[in-house]
Amino acid sequence: MKDGGRLSAAIEVLTEVETRHRPVQPALRDWGTSHRFAGSGDRTVIGNLVFDALRHKSSLTARTGSSEPRMQILGTYVFAWGNGIDRLKEVLGEDPHSPEALNEAEESALANESVDDLEPEVAADVPAWLWPYFEAAFGDNAVNEGKALATRAPIDLRTNSLKSDREKLLKRLAHVNAEATSITPTALRIKAKPGASRMPHVQAEEGYRKGWFELQDEASQIAAALACAKPGEQVLDLCAGGGGKTLALAATMDNKGQIYAYDSDRLRLAPIHERLQRSSVRNVQVRDPASSNLDPLKEAMDLVFIDAPCTGTGVWRRRPDSKWKLSEKALADRLEEQRKVLDTAKEFVKLGGRIAYVTCSILPQENGDQVKRFLAENSDFEAVDAIAIWKHVFGEDRLPAYVTEEGGVTLTPATTETDGFFFALLGRKTD
């Protein structure tokens, strides 16, 4: 396919996403199924166009004067991909499968390179109703943080220290340009590529099949490391999902002690079994929510790890469509779920034990405010200074820029080059 046909396909997919409120991945998959002539390279370009259009939906609308899928895709090709109006006009005229030629108003809008006078939330590509929360979280850095969340995410890998080490993996993955990251000693990164470029399929690598590494953003690796799970401890991963942090905790514990992996949704938990086997993790018991009773674990855990349900504002780079679907009701629902899971978690912590509270959100309501509420209602718990732990685990380089009154830390693409994540540690007092 030529670029004109790819632009038409991207407009078709984005129209499907916008008008039928469909998730992007199923819409792309269905388009590929019904257009077998499109190769994998074509599907990559089409997907990149659609995702980038969603990443920059607000600013593209302001710059092109239209929120329609046609102008969103054409604006992405011209502005975000840097092709310019002249190249677009060439593309529209060289292929019968291309979109229609530009009318006068469209050409004028796409020829204007100025990005002056955009409202802050528009420049940041943040939904207007969320902008006050961004300002509360980041102050003068709010626009830069929003822009960073509108970029493409890299591929981050976690070295499975039970089977390999980072130096060995760097050599084996040199052909995909994997690099060591600057915070954790376990993370490797393949930087995001611009425009039509294709990222490597790392799950096809020998190292993935043999369990030498897992796909996991460095922020998630940092959260698991800051929990400081020690060999021999008893750990409950209360919202284990697919098991990424369970695996990281098991490696930190050197396969010693016991981790109980639980999730209220058994479908989310399903992938963990194959991942445990591939990674040679032996100290994990998976507790199926349909048949398991967690009562025997009450007041017996050294650590309860909570990867809490949240709005996912910290992972907009990876799921840009979710940015524009998020509602105030959804935020309220997540806040209630977080309160419940924190109140459940405290029942399993022994004296002197701790709760690691983690979200992939950057909103204060889901992070510091939840910690503050929990501590106000539970006098037998106290905040543990995450910065002190950070210095102990990672040293004093690259300290987080955002720290709450209670000592929790927020990671962001703009400051730590990771997904947006929050981490707080809450210790149960011994008297």
Side-chain angles (χ1 to χ4, degrees), residues 255-300:
N255 254 340
K256 298 172 183 176
Q258 191 69 62
I259 301 174
Y260 303 91
Y262 176 86
D263 198 284
S264 59
D265 185 338
R266 66 186 311 189
L267 291 178
R268 283 199 299 262
L269 197 60
I272 195 173
H273 299 280
E274 187 271 334
R275 297 179 74 183
L276 291 171
Q277 183 176 10
R278 188 177 67 243
S279 298
S280 296
V281 170
R282 299 186 299 274
N283 66 331
V284 172
Q285 290 186 29
V286 179
R287 294 299 182 97
D288 189 315
S291 58
S292 295
N293 182 357
L294 297 181
D295 286 349
L297 307 182
K298 287 185 175 180
E299 297 196 6

mmCIF file of all heavy atoms in Angstrom, residues 255-300:
data_model
loop_
_atom_site.group_PDB
_atom_site.id
_atom_site.type_symbol
_atom_site.label_atom_id
_atom_site.label_comp_id
_atom_site.label_asym_id
_atom_site.label_seq_id
_atom_site.Cartn_x
_atom_site.Cartn_y
_atom_site.Cartn_z
ATOM 1 N N ASN A 255 13.149 -16.304 44.913
ATOM 2 C CA ASN A 255 12.345 -17.535 44.956
ATOM 3 C C ASN A 255 12.190 -18.108 46.359
ATOM 4 O O ASN A 255 11.855 -19.285 46.518
ATOM 5 C CB ASN A 255 12.934 -18.607 44.026
ATOM 6 C CG ASN A 255 12.103 -18.786 42.763
ATOM 7 O OD1 ASN A 255 10.938 -18.410 42.716
ATOM 8 N ND2 ASN A 255 12.712 -19.373 41.746
ATOM 9 N N LYS A 256 12.435 -17.296 47.383
ATOM 10 C CA LYS A 256 12.349 -17.774 48.763
ATOM 11 C C LYS A 256 11.217 -17.042 49.483
ATOM 12 O O LYS A 256 10.956 -15.879 49.223
ATOM 13 C CB LYS A 256 13.669 -17.540 49.485
ATOM 14 C CG LYS A 256 14.843 -18.294 48.856
ATOM 15 C CD LYS A 256 16.169 -17.880 49.468
ATOM 16 C CE LYS A 256 17.336 -18.574 48.783
ATOM 17 N NZ LYS A 256 18.659 -18.113 49.294
ATOM 18 N N GLY A 257 10.579 -17.748 50.427
ATOM 19 C CA GLY A 257 9.403 -17.195 51.057
ATOM 20 C C GLY A 257 8.169 -17.603 50.273
ATOM 21 O O GLY A 257 8.174 -18.604 49.549
ATOM 22 N N GLN A 258 7.094 -16.814 50.402
ATOM 23 C CA GLN A 258 5.850 -17.189 49.746
ATOM 24 C C GLN A 258 5.105 -15.956 49.275
ATOM 25 O O GLN A 258 4.952 -14.986 50.013
ATOM 26 C CB GLN A 258 4.949 -17.970 50.710
ATOM 27 C CG GLN A 258 3.757 -18.625 50.053
ATOM 28 C CD GLN A 258 4.159 -19.772 49.141
ATOM 29 O OE1 GLN A 258 4.738 -20.755 49.580
ATOM 30 N NE2 GLN A 258 3.880 -19.642 47.853
ATOM 31 N N ILE A 259 4.664 -15.998 48.034
ATOM 32 C CA ILE A 259 3.796 -14.952 47.486
ATOM 33 C C ILE A 259 2.452 -15.590 47.155
ATOM 34 O O ILE A 259 2.392 -16.639 46.506
ATOM 35 C CB ILE A 259 4.396 -14.329 46.205
ATOM 36 C CG1 ILE A 259 5.773 -13.727 46.488
ATOM 37 C CG2 ILE A 259 3.453 -13.260 45.645
ATOM 38 C CD1 ILE A 259 6.481 -13.228 45.236
ATOM 39 N N TYR A 260 1.392 -14.942 47.590
ATOM 40 C CA TYR A 260 0.038 -15.367 47.266
ATOM 41 C C TYR A 260 -0.501 -14.380 46.231
ATOM 42 O O TYR A 260 -0.669 -13.190 46.520
ATOM 43 C CB TYR A 260 -0.848 -15.382 48.502
ATOM 44 C CG TYR A 260 -0.317 -16.267 49.596
ATOM 45 C CD1 TYR A 260 0.537 -15.762 50.570
ATOM 46 C CD2 TYR A 260 -0.640 -17.623 49.644
ATOM 47 C CE1 TYR A 260 1.048 -16.577 51.576
ATOM 48 C CE2 TYR A 260 -0.134 -18.451 50.650
ATOM 49 C CZ TYR A 260 0.713 -17.919 51.602
ATOM 50 O OH TYR A 260 1.227 -18.735 52.603
ATOM 51 N N ALA A 261 -0.730 -14.858 45.020
ATOM 52 C CA ALA A 261 -1.201 -14.002 43.932
ATOM 53 C C ALA A 261 -2.707 -14.145 43.816
ATOM 54 O O ALA A 261 -3.237 -15.234 43.565
ATOM 55 C CB ALA A 261 -0.525 -14.389 42.620
ATOM 56 N N TYR A 262 -3.396 -13.008 43.985
ATOM 57 C CA TYR A 262 -4.862 -13.026 43.984
ATOM 58 C C TYR A 262 -5.374 -11.858 43.162
ATOM 59 O O TYR A 262 -4.776 -10.786 43.143
ATOM 60 C CB TYR A 262 -5.391 -12.906 45.415
ATOM 61 C CG TYR A 262 -6.900 -12.817 45.516
ATOM 62 C CD1 TYR A 262 -7.674 -13.968 45.551
ATOM 63 C CD2 TYR A 262 -7.535 -11.582 45.570
ATOM 64 C CE1 TYR A 262 -9.061 -13.889 45.634
ATOM 65 C CE2 TYR A 262 -8.918 -11.493 45.651
ATOM 66 C CZ TYR A 262 -9.669 -12.648 45.678
ATOM 67 O OH TYR A 262 -11.045 -12.575 45.759
ATOM 68 N N ASP A 263 -6.491 -12.070 42.497
ATOM 69 C CA ASP A 263 -7.196 -10.979 41.837
ATOM 70 C C ASP A 263 -8.683 -11.312 41.842
ATOM 71 O O ASP A 263 -9.068 -12.484 41.670
ATOM 72 C CB ASP A 263 -6.704 -10.784 40.397
ATOM 73 C CG ASP A 263 -7.087 -9.434 39.834
ATOM 74 O OD1 ASP A 263 -8.277 -9.251 39.466
ATOM 75 O OD2 ASP A 263 -6.227 -8.544 39.775
ATOM 76 N N SER A 264 -9.501 -10.312 42.046
ATOM 77 C CA SER A 264 -10.944 -10.551 42.107
ATOM 78 C C SER A 264 -11.511 -10.971 40.755
ATOM 79 O O SER A 264 -12.596 -11.538 40.689
ATOM 80 C CB SER A 264 -11.670 -9.285 42.597
ATOM 81 O OG SER A 264 -11.416 -8.191 41.726
ATOM 82 N N ASP A 265 -10.780 -10.694 39.672
ATOM 83 C CA ASP A 265 -11.200 -11.067 38.322
ATOM 84 C C ASP A 265 -10.315 -12.214 37.835
ATOM 85 O O ASP A 265 -9.148 -12.013 37.513
ATOM 86 C CB ASP A 265 -11.070 -9.857 37.393
ATOM 87 C CG ASP A 265 -11.613 -10.122 35.992
ATOM 88 O OD1 ASP A 265 -11.701 -11.300 35.595
ATOM 89 O OD2 ASP A 265 -11.928 -9.144 35.298
ATOM 90 N N ARG A 266 -10.867 -13.387 37.740
ATOM 91 C CA ARG A 266 -10.057 -14.553 37.374
ATOM 92 C C ARG A 266 -9.557 -14.477 35.935
ATOM 93 O O ARG A 266 -8.531 -15.086 35.596
ATOM 94 C CB ARG A 266 -10.842 -15.842 37.614
ATOM 95 C CG ARG A 266 -12.044 -16.040 36.729
ATOM 96 C CD ARG A 266 -12.853 -17.259 37.125
ATOM 97 N NE ARG A 266 -12.032 -18.452 37.295
ATOM 98 C CZ ARG A 266 -12.528 -19.674 37.467
ATOM 99 N NH1 ARG A 266 -13.838 -19.860 37.509
ATOM 100 N NH2 ARG A 266 -11.738 -20.710 37.610
ATOM 101 N N LEU A 267 -10.253 -13.742 35.062
ATOM 102 C CA LEU A 267 -9.778 -13.585 33.688
ATOM 103 C C LEU A 267 -8.490 -12.773 33.640
ATOM 104 O O LEU A 267 -7.591 -13.067 32.858
ATOM 105 C CB LEU A 267 -10.858 -12.917 32.827
ATOM 106 C CG LEU A 267 -12.107 -13.765 32.541
ATOM 107 C CD1 LEU A 267 -13.111 -12.969 31.714
ATOM 108 C CD2 LEU A 267 -11.728 -15.065 31.823
ATOM 109 N N ARG A 268 -8.409 -11.739 34.477
ATOM 110 C CA ARG A 268 -7.164 -10.964 34.532
ATOM 111 C C ARG A 268 -6.025 -11.812 35.051
ATOM 112 O O ARG A 268 -4.867 -11.635 34.673
ATOM 113 C CB ARG A 268 -7.341 -9.734 35.434
ATOM 114 C CG ARG A 268 -8.103 -8.591 34.811
ATOM 115 C CD ARG A 268 -7.832 -7.288 35.543
ATOM 116 N NE ARG A 268 -8.239 -7.342 36.936
ATOM 117 C CZ ARG A 268 -9.386 -6.858 37.404
ATOM 118 N NH1 ARG A 268 -10.241 -6.292 36.578
ATOM 119 N NH2 ARG A 268 -9.669 -6.934 38.683
ATOM 120 N N LEU A 269 -6.337 -12.754 35.934
ATOM 121 C CA LEU A 269 -5.317 -13.578 36.573
ATOM 122 C C LEU A 269 -4.842 -14.723 35.679
ATOM 123 O O LEU A 269 -3.760 -15.280 35.899
ATOM 124 C CB LEU A 269 -5.897 -14.135 37.877
ATOM 125 C CG LEU A 269 -4.962 -14.709 38.930
ATOM 126 C CD1 LEU A 269 -3.963 -13.671 39.411
ATOM 127 C CD2 LEU A 269 -5.767 -15.247 40.110
ATOM 128 N N ALA A 270 -5.622 -15.060 34.672
ATOM 129 C CA ALA A 270 -5.357 -16.266 33.874
ATOM 130 C C ALA A 270 -3.949 -16.345 33.286
ATOM 131 O O ALA A 270 -3.325 -17.414 33.311
ATOM 132 C CB ALA A 270 -6.405 -16.383 32.767
ATOM 133 N N PRO A 271 -3.372 -15.258 32.742
ATOM 134 C CA PRO A 271 -2.050 -15.391 32.104
ATOM 135 C C PRO A 271 -0.915 -15.712 33.066
ATOM 136 O O PRO A 271 0.179 -16.076 32.625
ATOM 137 C CB PRO A 271 -1.829 -14.003 31.470
ATOM 138 C CG PRO A 271 -3.175 -13.372 31.385
ATOM 139 C CD PRO A 271 -3.946 -13.905 32.552
ATOM 140 N N ILE A 272 -1.145 -15.585 34.368
ATOM 141 C CA ILE A 272 -0.042 -15.709 35.311
ATOM 142 C C ILE A 272 0.571 -17.102 35.311
ATOM 143 O O ILE A 272 1.781 -17.260 35.514
ATOM 144 C CB ILE A 272 -0.500 -15.322 36.742
ATOM 145 C CG1 ILE A 272 0.724 -15.085 37.635
ATOM 146 C CG2 ILE A 272 -1.414 -16.376 37.340
ATOM 147 C CD1 ILE A 272 0.367 -14.530 39.001
ATOM 148 N N HIS A 273 -0.214 -18.118 35.057
ATOM 149 C CA HIS A 273 0.277 -19.495 35.168
ATOM 150 C C HIS A 273 1.396 -19.773 34.161
ATOM 151 O O HIS A 273 2.457 -20.307 34.523
ATOM 152 C CB HIS A 273 -0.880 -20.480 34.977
ATOM 153 C CG HIS A 273 -1.957 -20.340 36.005
ATOM 154 N ND1 HIS A 273 -1.852 -20.872 37.275
ATOM 155 C CD2 HIS A 273 -3.156 -19.705 35.965
ATOM 156 C CE1 HIS A 273 -2.937 -20.583 37.968
ATOM 157 N NE2 HIS A 273 -3.740 -19.874 37.198
ATOM 158 N N GLU A 274 1.158 -19.401 32.901
ATOM 159 C CA GLU A 274 2.180 -19.619 31.878
ATOM 160 C C GLU A 274 3.423 -18.769 32.151
ATOM 161 O O GLU A 274 4.550 -19.213 31.953
ATOM 162 C CB GLU A 274 1.588 -19.287 30.502
ATOM 163 C CG GLU A 274 2.493 -19.632 29.320
ATOM 164 C CD GLU A 274 3.422 -18.481 28.959
ATOM 165 O OE1 GLU A 274 3.072 -17.319 29.246
ATOM 166 O OE2 GLU A 274 4.505 -18.752 28.407
ATOM 167 N N ARG A 275 3.220 -17.551 32.656
ATOM 168 C CA ARG A 275 4.348 -16.664 32.924
ATOM 169 C C ARG A 275 5.199 -17.183 34.085
ATOM 170 O O ARG A 275 6.426 -17.090 34.056
ATOM 171 C CB ARG A 275 3.836 -15.256 33.232
ATOM 172 C CG ARG A 275 3.109 -14.616 32.080
ATOM 173 C CD ARG A 275 2.585 -13.235 32.428
ATOM 174 N NE ARG A 275 3.657 -12.238 32.477
ATOM 175 C CZ ARG A 275 3.454 -10.974 32.808
ATOM 176 N NH1 ARG A 275 2.244 -10.548 33.137
ATOM 177 N NH2 ARG A 275 4.472 -10.123 32.810
ATOM 178 N N LEU A 276 4.565 -17.734 35.093
ATOM 179 C CA LEU A 276 5.316 -18.305 36.218
ATOM 180 C C LEU A 276 6.198 -19.457 35.755
ATOM 181 O O LEU A 276 7.364 -19.572 36.149
ATOM 182 C CB LEU A 276 4.345 -18.789 37.300
ATOM 183 C CG LEU A 276 3.577 -17.727 38.077
ATOM 184 C CD1 LEU A 276 2.501 -18.381 38.949
ATOM 185 C CD2 LEU A 276 4.519 -16.902 38.954
ATOM 186 N N GLN A 277 5.640 -20.289 34.903
ATOM 187 C CA GLN A 277 6.401 -21.441 34.421
ATOM 188 C C GLN A 277 7.579 -20.988 33.565
ATOM 189 O O GLN A 277 8.703 -21.493 33.729
ATOM 190 C CB GLN A 277 5.477 -22.370 33.616
ATOM 191 C CG GLN A 277 6.164 -23.637 33.128
ATOM 192 C CD GLN A 277 5.191 -24.567 32.419
ATOM 193 O OE1 GLN A 277 4.055 -24.199 32.133
ATOM 194 N NE2 GLN A 277 5.632 -25.778 32.126
ATOM 195 N N ARG A 278 7.335 -20.044 32.667
ATOM 196 C CA ARG A 278 8.395 -19.581 31.777
ATOM 197 C C ARG A 278 9.523 -18.907 32.556
ATOM 198 O O ARG A 278 10.697 -19.006 32.195
ATOM 199 C CB ARG A 278 7.817 -18.603 30.743
ATOM 200 C CG ARG A 278 8.807 -18.231 29.654
ATOM 201 C CD ARG A 278 8.197 -17.328 28.589
ATOM 202 N NE ARG A 278 7.871 -16.017 29.114
ATOM 203 C CZ ARG A 278 6.651 -15.517 29.185
ATOM 204 N NH1 ARG A 278 5.618 -16.249 28.773
ATOM 205 N NH2 ARG A 278 6.428 -14.310 29.661
ATOM 206 N N SER A 279 9.172 -18.232 33.649
ATOM 207 C CA SER A 279 10.162 -17.484 34.430
ATOM 208 C C SER A 279 10.839 -18.311 35.511
ATOM 209 O O SER A 279 11.693 -17.799 36.235
ATOM 210 C CB SER A 279 9.493 -16.256 35.063
ATOM 211 O OG SER A 279 9.004 -15.381 34.080
ATOM 212 N N SER A 280 10.437 -19.573 35.665
ATOM 213 C CA SER A 280 10.988 -20.460 36.701
ATOM 214 C C SER A 280 10.765 -19.908 38.106
ATOM 215 O O SER A 280 11.631 -20.006 38.984
ATOM 216 C CB SER A 280 12.486 -20.712 36.463
ATOM 217 O OG SER A 280 12.692 -21.395 35.251
ATOM 218 N N VAL A 281 9.599 -19.324 38.310
ATOM 219 C CA VAL A 281 9.219 -18.841 39.643
ATOM 220 C C VAL A 281 8.547 -19.975 40.409
ATOM 221 O O VAL A 281 7.608 -20.599 39.924
ATOM 222 C CB VAL A 281 8.275 -17.626 39.528
ATOM 223 C CG1 VAL A 281 7.671 -17.275 40.878
ATOM 224 C CG2 VAL A 281 9.032 -16.429 38.958
ATOM 225 N N ARG A 282 9.029 -20.230 41.639
ATOM 226 C CA ARG A 282 8.544 -21.373 42.395
ATOM 227 C C ARG A 282 7.912 -20.986 43.739
ATOM 228 O O ARG A 282 7.414 -21.872 44.440
ATOM 229 C CB ARG A 282 9.700 -22.346 42.661
ATOM 230 C CG ARG A 282 10.338 -22.915 41.392
ATOM 231 C CD ARG A 282 11.373 -23.978 41.737
ATOM 232 N NE ARG A 282 12.461 -23.425 42.542
ATOM 233 C CZ ARG A 282 13.539 -22.835 42.050
ATOM 234 N NH1 ARG A 282 13.675 -22.711 40.738
ATOM 235 N NH2 ARG A 282 14.484 -22.357 42.844
ATOM 236 N N ASN A 283 7.947 -19.710 44.096
ATOM 237 C CA ASN A 283 7.455 -19.357 45.436
ATOM 238 C C ASN A 283 6.121 -18.615 45.387
ATOM 239 O O ASN A 283 5.817 -17.791 46.237
ATOM 240 C CB ASN A 283 8.490 -18.511 46.185
ATOM 241 C CG ASN A 283 8.703 -17.142 45.557
ATOM 242 O OD1 ASN A 283 8.532 -16.982 44.354
ATOM 243 N ND2 ASN A 283 9.098 -16.178 46.371
ATOM 244 N N VAL A 284 5.315 -18.906 44.355
ATOM 245 C CA VAL A 284 4.026 -18.237 44.198
ATOM 246 C C VAL A 284 2.898 -19.253 44.245
ATOM 247 O O VAL A 284 2.938 -20.278 43.556
ATOM 248 C CB VAL A 284 3.962 -17.465 42.867
ATOM 249 C CG1 VAL A 284 2.548 -16.921 42.622
ATOM 250 C CG2 VAL A 284 4.957 -16.307 42.870
ATOM 251 N N GLN A 285 1.907 -18.963 45.083
ATOM 252 C CA GLN A 285 0.647 -19.694 45.073
ATOM 253 C C GLN A 285 -0.413 -18.797 44.449
ATOM 254 O O GLN A 285 -0.639 -17.684 44.912
ATOM 255 C CB GLN A 285 0.197 -20.065 46.488
ATOM 256 C CG GLN A 285 1.018 -21.118 47.188
ATOM 257 C CD GLN A 285 0.395 -21.511 48.518
ATOM 258 O OE1 GLN A 285 -0.824 -21.448 48.698
ATOM 259 N NE2 GLN A 285 1.235 -21.897 49.460
ATOM 260 N N VAL A 286 -1.045 -19.262 43.383
ATOM 261 C CA VAL A 286 -2.102 -18.492 42.737
ATOM 262 C C VAL A 286 -3.424 -18.848 43.408
ATOM 263 O O VAL A 286 -3.801 -20.013 43.465
ATOM 264 C CB VAL A 286 -2.163 -18.792 41.228
ATOM 265 C CG1 VAL A 286 -3.277 -17.991 40.571
ATOM 266 C CG2 VAL A 286 -0.822 -18.485 40.569
ATOM 267 N N ARG A 287 -4.100 -17.851 43.924
ATOM 268 C CA ARG A 287 -5.374 -18.049 44.607
ATOM 269 C C ARG A 287 -6.521 -17.639 43.690
ATOM 270 O O ARG A 287 -6.741 -16.464 43.427
ATOM 271 C CB ARG A 287 -5.410 -17.238 45.907
ATOM 272 C CG ARG A 287 -4.400 -17.716 46.969
ATOM 273 C CD ARG A 287 -4.693 -19.156 47.374
ATOM 274 N NE ARG A 287 -3.811 -19.651 48.396
ATOM 275 C CZ ARG A 287 -4.110 -19.673 49.707
ATOM 276 N NH1 ARG A 287 -5.252 -19.182 50.138
ATOM 277 N NH2 ARG A 287 -3.248 -20.181 50.578
ATOM 278 N N ASP A 288 -7.234 -18.625 43.175
ATOM 279 C CA ASP A 288 -8.366 -18.389 42.285
ATOM 280 C C ASP A 288 -9.507 -17.769 43.088
ATOM 281 O O ASP A 288 -9.922 -18.324 44.113
ATOM 282 C CB ASP A 288 -8.817 -19.719 41.674
ATOM 283 C CG ASP A 288 -9.833 -19.537 40.571
ATOM 284 O OD1 ASP A 288 -10.776 -18.739 40.749
ATOM 285 O OD2 ASP A 288 -9.707 -20.192 39.518
ATOM 286 N N PRO A 289 -10.047 -16.625 42.641
ATOM 287 C CA PRO A 289 -11.108 -15.977 43.413
ATOM 288 C C PRO A 289 -12.381 -16.808 43.512
ATOM 289 O O PRO A 289 -13.186 -16.604 44.429
ATOM 290 C CB PRO A 289 -11.358 -14.673 42.639
ATOM 291 C CG PRO A 289 -10.870 -14.951 41.252
ATOM 292 C CD PRO A 289 -9.702 -15.879 41.421
ATOM 293 N N ALA A 290 -12.566 -17.752 42.582
ATOM 294 C CA ALA A 290 -13.778 -18.571 42.616
ATOM 295 C C ALA A 290 -13.717 -19.661 43.673
ATOM 296 O O ALA A 290 -14.754 -20.165 44.127
ATOM 297 C CB ALA A 290 -14.013 -19.196 41.242
ATOM 298 N N SER A 291 -12.511 -20.032 44.090
ATOM 299 C CA SER A 291 -12.405 -21.185 45.000
ATOM 300 C C SER A 291 -11.515 -20.946 46.218
ATOM 301 O O SER A 291 -11.412 -21.812 47.072
ATOM 302 C CB SER A 291 -11.861 -22.395 44.227
ATOM 303 O OG SER A 291 -10.603 -22.097 43.647
ATOM 304 N N SER A 292 -10.884 -19.786 46.304
ATOM 305 C CA SER A 292 -9.908 -19.556 47.377
ATOM 306 C C SER A 292 -10.506 -18.726 48.509
ATOM 307 O O SER A 292 -11.294 -17.809 48.284
ATOM 308 C CB SER A 292 -8.667 -18.837 46.833
ATOM 309 O OG SER A 292 -7.987 -19.645 45.910
ATOM 310 N N ASN A 293 -10.077 -19.061 49.706
ATOM 311 C CA ASN A 293 -10.443 -18.298 50.890
ATOM 312 C C ASN A 293 -9.165 -17.693 51.455
ATOM 313 O O ASN A 293 -8.245 -18.413 51.853
ATOM 314 C CB ASN A 293 -11.102 -19.220 51.921
ATOM 315 C CG ASN A 293 -11.554 -18.474 53.155
ATOM 316 O OD1 ASN A 293 -11.331 -17.269 53.287
ATOM 317 N ND2 ASN A 293 -12.195 -19.186 54.074
ATOM 318 N N LEU A 294 -9.109 -16.361 51.502
ATOM 319 C CA LEU A 294 -7.908 -15.687 51.975
ATOM 320 C C LEU A 294 -7.887 -15.494 53.489
ATOM 321 O O LEU A 294 -6.902 -14.984 54.031
ATOM 322 C CB LEU A 294 -7.766 -14.315 51.290
ATOM 323 C CG LEU A 294 -7.585 -14.315 49.772
ATOM 324 C CD1 LEU A 294 -7.438 -12.873 49.276
ATOM 325 C CD2 LEU A 294 -6.392 -15.148 49.351
ATOM 326 N N ASP A 295 -8.934 -15.904 54.165
ATOM 327 C CA ASP A 295 -9.014 -15.672 55.616
ATOM 328 C C ASP A 295 -7.807 -16.202 56.397
ATOM 329 O O ASP A 295 -7.350 -15.546 57.344
ATOM 330 C CB ASP A 295 -10.293 -16.276 56.188
ATOM 331 C CG ASP A 295 -11.529 -15.456 55.819
ATOM 332 O OD1 ASP A 295 -11.342 -14.329 55.310
ATOM 333 O OD2 ASP A 295 -12.654 -15.935 56.025
ATOM 334 N N PRO A 296 -7.248 -17.377 56.048
ATOM 335 C CA PRO A 296 -6.080 -17.855 56.811
ATOM 336 C C PRO A 296 -4.856 -16.928 56.713
ATOM 337 O O PRO A 296 -3.929 -17.067 57.515
ATOM 338 C CB PRO A 296 -5.784 -19.217 56.156
ATOM 339 C CG PRO A 296 -7.085 -19.662 55.584
ATOM 340 C CD PRO A 296 -7.735 -18.408 55.108
ATOM 341 N N LEU A 297 -4.875 -16.011 55.772
ATOM 342 C CA LEU A 297 -3.733 -15.109 55.607
ATOM 343 C C LEU A 297 -3.863 -13.835 56.439
ATOM 344 O O LEU A 297 -2.921 -13.039 56.484
ATOM 345 C CB LEU A 297 -3.582 -14.718 54.129
ATOM 346 C CG LEU A 297 -3.502 -15.861 53.100
ATOM 347 C CD1 LEU A 297 -3.299 -15.278 51.707
ATOM 348 C CD2 LEU A 297 -2.386 -16.830 53.448
ATOM 349 N N LYS A 298 -4.970 -13.661 57.106
ATOM 350 C CA LYS A 298 -5.193 -12.403 57.827
ATOM 351 C C LYS A 298 -4.182 -12.214 58.956
ATOM 352 O O LYS A 298 -3.852 -13.157 59.678
ATOM 353 C CB LYS A 298 -6.623 -12.355 58.374
ATOM 354 C CG LYS A 298 -7.657 -12.132 57.272
ATOM 355 C CD LYS A 298 -9.065 -11.953 57.821
ATOM 356 C CE LYS A 298 -10.045 -11.619 56.691
ATOM 357 N NZ LYS A 298 -11.422 -11.447 57.196
ATOM 358 N N GLU A 299 -3.660 -10.987 59.031
ATOM 359 C CA GLU A 299 -2.673 -10.574 60.027
ATOM 360 C C GLU A 299 -1.418 -11.444 60.004
ATOM 361 O O GLU A 299 -0.732 -11.591 61.012
ATOM 362 C CB GLU A 299 -3.282 -10.551 61.431
ATOM 363 C CG GLU A 299 -4.409 -9.541 61.567
ATOM 364 C CD GLU A 299 -4.757 -9.240 63.008
ATOM 365 O OE1 GLU A 299 -4.046 -9.726 63.911
ATOM 366 O OE2 GLU A 299 -5.726 -8.512 63.222
ATOM 367 N N ALA A 300 -1.111 -12.007 58.820
ATOM 368 C CA ALA A 300 0.057 -12.892 58.697
ATOM 369 C C ALA A 300 1.057 -12.427 57.648
ATOM 370 O O ALA A 300 2.116 -13.036 57.504
ATOM 371 C CB ALA A 300 -0.405 -14.315 58.366
#
